[in-house]
């Protein structure tokens, strides 16, 4: 068995450009190489040593020396991955396969549990599953998903407790599928599913939280979807990946199960090469096992009153939490912000066990998106290292309508790859079980399961780009560190009553990614700095959109020009238009109190050129930004809704917030920046907090910091001017035709419709509640927002005259009573900090302009040192 790999090595190539990726993908196809794994930075390939010169000959010079060996003796690594023949472990002995399966299993510590000391063959796994069923009949059933190509059962454990109350009719039983072993050689995925199942089963009745998970959900644990391939790895070829199905070439057997599902199947990519490790067959669902799995799922949902609400698909390796889509980076899931939020929580749950870092990204990005060496306007798509179509991940999300579907790639990051030593079984299992438990608890909190009633989840609208998270999530590039600290636990409540430990961090961390945003200045003409920031941002976005359209990359950044933006307002009750004003003029009132005065009402008129400007109280003759924006027009009285006294329209920008923030982060990483997350104390003062940052980059002195800490600044730097500006929004299905905002009699009476470009969704809202820290959803506010939104976006209403609500959100904008703080401060030891926070709901429209101001302050500081 080992002789075939005696002369093989595994090489890691560092890929820096699209041209290198293309050359490597083409060479791998030509030479029929086995691509083990790939990320945005590297590709691992197994090949024979005597093939290395041929491979290098097909690659550009830049790659010929950009590789390192991961395994010099592959055969020895394979040998060591099997249980030792002389092991004292009874399970690995063919003479005593059941010695480890005693009733003492109930109290056996993980490290002493014989079953998890080594990887186990299918001949041991099956009796172990039967034993669990017999030991725990109250909540464990052994079921069969289907039959493999070679006639083996595909076994699974259904774990759950059903109510015995028959008086009340039961709705569909919510179910979560946890699967592994789609690729036969990924043994750690099979052992991990078994470990998670065992841990959940044996927790029933001992932990209230775990018991609740079994009462509310059925958990379907499938250790190996590919039993034929798994058996083959034990008996013939340890590195076999596919199933054992016959293809059109007699000597090339097997289909890749995870490329054979019916959604976005991409058979053309491998049709001519049945020997490919990613061969997806000649038609969707040609692979027997994936077809059997899909049939079982359909029968469960159609005939057995089952609602599948979650799907976790374990693979190895590379330590990543991946969400849809796999087949394409150009398609954005409609629930992207929810997927990202839960994925981040899963990664943190894993990290809290042993400190292992798991990346979070879409399944497609690791193989197609350049993340280094490119500027933000050169963000190219790389050629696929291998096809991503036909995956189980995409199929469950798109076709089965499972709103929370993930592929989790387990340990490690390449030192052992698929040959992870057995000593990692228990640590990896504990990490995965933490993720499974987090997954279930998240869905228990009504933060993810789609329901007929409004889902009450946390979100925010019009929040600044650096708001509402508990960790430092910054970009550190020598010599500047960006501090982005939000929702400090010392001063603020957690989001939900049932949040435990540090889980609120993840609830806050991606809240801004769930916002709706657009450009609408909040500044009065007297606020020169803010006016300047808003103007610079508008111009920068305008140029970015122009460059994207010119380069055929429209919408790449998540920005889109909105054809019209109407702002209407009702006059305050105590305001009367002066009768001496010409009635033919178009009055334009801006009821926008300044940051410093609560009574600053300015009346602005747009006048014909031949009419002299009359004396106008409280204001100028035009809006300061009317010449900045494109297509500025004052609406005629016939264009105004009833009860509205004035309005304007102009071209502005709608922002798909998750996409835009991902674009910004990718741009920073492409410039060599680093994203680091950590907890820092805020109660001991700013200097102590900065000390933690300096330790993080030990050996590299930081000369300047950017304090973009939002609400966190209240505790971090003791800024008592900071306060929460609570906002509530509703996310509905469909994209509105235009951005619309209506200003009422009160400054906090705002009605807004904000479409999210390319997402098929729209934000309806928004409330403004200064000084309110509560993140609980106000149901009456939800009803009011929806009722008022109907008039502004009737095109989104269904046949029943109602919106289709996707989620309800609450967020805390980081407001500052005296206006944003953007100023420099010299620290001891020659260090320098620029404070940049307090933009309230204007964070996006201030963003580029205020960032330019930060750069100006940094340059001024550097020049003063010379």
């Amino acid at each position: 068995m080992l002789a075939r790999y005696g002369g093989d090595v595994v090489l890691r190539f560092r890929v820096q450009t699209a041209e290198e990726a293309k050359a490597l993908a083409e060479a791998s196809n030509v030479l029929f190489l086995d691509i083990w794994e790939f990320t945005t930075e590297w590709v691992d390939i197994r090949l024979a040593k005597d093939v290395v010169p041929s491979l290098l000959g097909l690659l550009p010079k830049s790659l010929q020396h950009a590789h390192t060996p991961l395994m010099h003796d592959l055969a020895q690594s394979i040998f060591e991955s099997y249980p030792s023949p002389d092991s004292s472990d009874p399970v690995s002995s063919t003479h005593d396969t059941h010695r480890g399966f005693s009733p003492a299993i109930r109290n056996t510590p993980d490290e002493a549990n014989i079953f998890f000391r080594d990887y186990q063959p299918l001949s041991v796994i099956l009796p172990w599953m039967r034993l669990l069923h017999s030991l725990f009949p109250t909540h464990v059933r052994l079921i069969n998903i289907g039959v493999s190509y070679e006639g083996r059962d595909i076994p699974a454990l259904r774990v759950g407790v059903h109510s015995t109350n028959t008086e009340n009719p039961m709705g569909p039983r919510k179910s979560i599928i946890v699967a592994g072993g789609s690729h036969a050689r990924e043994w750690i995925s099979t052992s991990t599913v078994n470990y998670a199942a065992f841990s959940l089963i044996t927790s029933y009745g001992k932990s209230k939280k775990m018991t609740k998970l079994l009462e509310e959900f059925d958990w379907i644990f499938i250790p190996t979807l590919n039993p034929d391939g798994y058996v083959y790895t034990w008996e013939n070829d340890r590195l076999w990946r596919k199933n054992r199905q016959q293809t059109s070439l007699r000597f090339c057997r097997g289909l890749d199960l995870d490329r054979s599902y019916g959604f976005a199947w991409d058979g053309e990519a491998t049709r001519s090469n049945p020997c490919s490790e990613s061969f997806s067959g000649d038609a969707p669902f040609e692979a027997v096992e994936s077809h059997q799995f899909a049939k079982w799922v359909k029968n469960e949902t159609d005939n057995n009153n089952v609602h599948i609400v979650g799907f976790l698909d374990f693979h190895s390796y590379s330590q990543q939490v991946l969400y849809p889509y796999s087949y394409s980076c150009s398609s954005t899931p409609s629930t992207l912000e929810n997927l990202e939020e839960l994925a981040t929580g899963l990664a943190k749950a894993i990290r809290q066990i042993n400190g292992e870092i798991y990346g979070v990204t879409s399944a497609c990005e690791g193989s197609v998106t350049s993340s280094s060496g490119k500027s933000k306007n050169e963000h190219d798509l790389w050629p696929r290292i291998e096809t991503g179509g036909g995956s189980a991940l995409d199929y469950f999300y798109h076709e089965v309508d499972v709103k929370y579907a993930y592929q989790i790639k387990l340990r490690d990051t390449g030192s052992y790859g698929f040959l992870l030593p057995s000593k990692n079984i228990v640590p990896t299992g504990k990490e995965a079980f933490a993720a499974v438990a987090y997954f279930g608890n998240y869905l228990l909190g009504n933060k993810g399961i789609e329901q007929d009633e409004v889902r009450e989840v946390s979100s925010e609208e019009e929040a600044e780009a650096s708001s509402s998270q508990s960790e430092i999530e910054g970009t550190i590039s020598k010599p500047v560190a960006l501090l982005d600290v939000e929702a400090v636990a010392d001063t603020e409540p957690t989001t939900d009553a049932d949040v435990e430990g540090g889980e609120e961090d993840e609830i806050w961390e991606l809240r801004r990614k769930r916002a709706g945003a657009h450009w609408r200045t909040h500044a009065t003409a007297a606020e020169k700095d803010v006016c300047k920031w808003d103007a610079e941002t508008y111009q920068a976005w305008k140029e970015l959109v122009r460059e994207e359209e010119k380069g055929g990359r429209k919408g790449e950044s998540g920005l889109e020009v909105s054809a019209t933006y109407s702002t209407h307002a009702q006059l305050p009750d105590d305001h009367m238009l002066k009768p001496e004003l010409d009635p033919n003029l178009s009055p334009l009132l801006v009821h926008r109190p300044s940051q410093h005065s609560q009574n600053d009402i300015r009346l602005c008129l747009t006048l014909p050129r031949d009419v002299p400007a009359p004396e106008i109280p409280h204001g100028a003759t035009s809006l300061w930004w009317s010449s900045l924006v494109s297509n500025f027009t004052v609406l005629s009285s016939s264009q105004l809704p009833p009860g509205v006294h004035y309005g304007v329209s102009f071209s502005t920008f709608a922002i798909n917030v998750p996409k835009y923030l991902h674009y910004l982060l990718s741009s920073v990483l492409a410039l060599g920046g680093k994203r680091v997350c950590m907890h820092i104390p805020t109660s001991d003062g700013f200097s102590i907090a900065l000390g933690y940052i300096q330790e993080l980059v030990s050996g590299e002195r930081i000369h300047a910091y950017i304090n973009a800490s939002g609400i966190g600044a209240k505790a971090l730097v003791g800024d008592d001017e900071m306060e929460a500006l609570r906002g509530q929004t509703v996310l509905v299905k469909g994209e509105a035709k235009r951005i619309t905002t209506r200003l009422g009699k009160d400054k906090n009476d705002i009605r807004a419709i904000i479409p999210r470009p390319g997402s098929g969704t729209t934000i309806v809202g928004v409330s403004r509640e200064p000084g309110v820290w509560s993140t609980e959803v106000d149901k009456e506010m939800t009803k009011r927002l929806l009722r008022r939104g109907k008039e502004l976006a009737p095109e989104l209403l269904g046949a029943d005259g109602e919106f289709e609500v996707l989620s309800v959100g609450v967020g805390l904008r980081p407001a500052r009573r005296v206006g944003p703080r953007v100023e420099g401060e010299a620290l001891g030891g020659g260090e320098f900090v620029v404070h940049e926070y307090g933009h309230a709901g204007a964070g996006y429209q201030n963003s580029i302009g205020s960032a330019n101001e930060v750069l100006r302050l940094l340059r001024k500081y550097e020049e003063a040192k010379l």
Side-chain angles (χ1 to χ4, degrees), residues 582-589 604-608 634-637 646-647:
D582 188 334
N584 295 318
L585 302 180
S586 300
L588 181 63
L589 174 72
C604 305
L605 300 176
T606 299
L607 307 171
V634 177
L635 302 180
S636 66
S637 58
Y646 57 88

Side-chain angles (χ1 to χ4, degrees), residues 454-456 726-730 764-767 769 776-789 808-810:
V454 171
R455 282 192 297 121
E456 298 180 1
R726 183 185 185 276
Q728 183 164 319
T729 65
V730 184
V764 177
V766 55
S767 70
E769 302 166 74
E776 296 296 322
V777 170
D778 183 337
K779 293 185 178 180
E780 292 302 316
M781 174 65 73
T782 299
K783 295 177 182 177
R784 185 158 63 249
L785 293 175
L786 292 173
R787 183 174 62 250
R788 290 160 51 165
V808 179
V810 175

Side-chain angles (χ1 to χ4, degrees), residues 401-536:
D401 199 28
V402 177
K403 296 303 182 186
Y404 290 91
Y406 297 91
Q407 182 181 105
I408 300 181
K409 293 193 173 184
L410 302 165
R411 294 191 185 188
D412 57 5
T413 56
S415 297
Y416 295 96
F418 303 124
L419 306 175
L420 193 68
S422 58
K423 65 182 180 181
N424 290 272
I425 292 174
V426 170
T428 305
K430 288 182 177 180
E431 293 161 359
F433 179 60
V436 167
Y438 185 95
F439 188 84
N441 286 323
Y442 184 93
L443 268 60
L444 269 182
N446 290 327
K447 300 169 187 172
I449 302 174
E450 301 295 334
Q451 300 176 328
D452 291 335
E453 66 269 22
V454 171
R455 282 192 297 121
E456 298 180 1
V457 296
S458 294
S459 171
E460 74 176 325
E461 187 277 339
E462 285 193 315
E464 66 176 325
S466 59
S467 69
S468 305
Q469 65 180 33
S470 304
E471 295 180 332
I472 288 185
E473 178 187 311
T475 302
I476 300 178
S477 57
K478 186 178 181 180
V480 178
L482 171 66
L483 277 64
D484 185 358
V485 189
E486 305 294 346
V488 180
D490 293 350
T491 59
E492 301 175 24
T494 58
T495 301
D496 295 282
D498 60 349
V499 170
E500 298 184 8
E503 292 180 7
E504 76 275 8
D505 295 345
E506 259 55 55
I507 296 172
W508 285 98
E509 184 174 25
L510 286 169
R511 183 164 301 159
R512 64 197 186 194
K513 294 187 177 182
R514 312 182 66 173
H518 60 294
W519 189 96
R520 176 174 64 85
T521 185
H522 298 177
T524 66
E527 297 168 307
K528 300 298 184 182
D529 287 340
V530 183
C531 291
K532 180 180 180 181
W533 301 339
D534 286 355
E536 289 182 2

Side-chain angles (χ1 to χ4, degrees), residues 199-250:
S199 299
L200 189 61
I201 290 167
T202 55
S203 296
Y204 178 67
K206 301 177 183 178
S207 162
K208 289 183 178 180
K209 180 183 288 187
M210 296 298 107
T211 300
K212 182 72 171 177
L213 293 181
L214 270 67
E215 291 173 343
E216 294 295 325
F217 303 109
D218 269 357
W219 297 80
I220 314 300
F221 292 96
I222 312 172
T224 176
L225 283 164
N226 182 8
D228 297 347
Y230 188 69
V231 169
Y232 194 76
T233 62
W234 280 85
E235 298 178 353
N236 295 278
D237 183 354
R238 173 64 180 86
L239 295 179
W240 186 260
R241 168 184 166 101
K242 301 180 288 183
N243 72 358
R244 292 296 298 159
Q245 195 166 334
Q246 185 61 60
T247 68
S248 57
L249 291 180
R250 180 177 56 83

Side-chain angles (χ1 to χ4, degrees), residues 266-414:
D266 187 18
E268 295 304 321
T270 61
R271 185 188 299 273
S272 62
N273 184 14
C275 298
S276 168
E277 294 289 353
S278 302
F279 181 57
S280 54
D282 295 321
F285 287 120
E286 184 179 347
V288 170
E289 293 81 4
S290 60
H291 184 229
Q292 291 277 299
F293 188 25
K295 278 178 57 180
W296 177 84
V297 168
K298 182 172 176 57
N299 182 62
E300 289 288 295
T301 55
D302 290 354
N303 303 319
N304 294 335
N305 200 30
V306 167
H307 178 203
I308 299 174
V309 297
F311 178 62
L312 296 176
D313 189 16
F314 286 111
H315 286 255
S316 73
Y317 57 96
S318 72
Q319 299 186 188
Q320 297 185 86
V321 180
L322 306 175
Y323 52 82
Y325 286 112
S326 172
Y327 81 97
S328 171
C329 287
S330 61
S331 296
T332 302
S334 60
T335 59
L336 176 61
E337 58 271 29
N338 294 336
L339 288 167
E340 288 183 316
E341 179 174 356
L342 179 49
T344 301
L346 296 175
K348 180 177 180 181
I350 291 170
R351 186 174 73 247
Q352 288 179 327
I353 301 302
N354 297 307
E356 292 294 325
I357 305 298
Y358 276 57
V360 174
T361 187
S362 73
C364 104
E365 288 183 4
S367 61
V368 298
T369 304
S370 171
S371 64
S372 60
K374 292 285 182 180
S375 71
K376 66 181 181 179
N377 295 322
E378 301 175 318
H379 197 65
D380 297 333
L381 293 181
W382 287 359
R384 305 289 311 219
I385 298 298
E386 65 176 28
T387 177
S391 69
L393 176 69
D394 290 357
Y395 177 78
F396 272 86
Y397 179 79
H398 193 274
E399 297 297 309
V400 187
D401 199 28
V402 177
K403 296 303 182 186
Y404 290 91
Y406 297 91
Q407 182 181 105
I408 300 181
K409 293 193 173 184
L410 302 165
R411 294 191 185 188
D412 57 5
T413 56

Side-chain angles (χ1 to χ4, degrees), residues 519 534-550 557 559-561 627-631 651-653 848:
W519 189 96
D534 286 355
E536 289 182 2
T537 302
Y538 188 94
Q539 295 288 14
W541 283 352
K542 186 176 181 180
E543 181 62 27
L544 176 57
V545 168
R546 183 184 296 117
E547 289 180 2
E548 288 181 343
E549 291 179 347
K550 184 178 179 181
S557 63
L559 292 173
E560 184 175 286
V561 175
S627 60
L628 168 69
V629 300
S630 303
N631 305 315
S651 294
T652 186
F653 300 93
I848 294 180

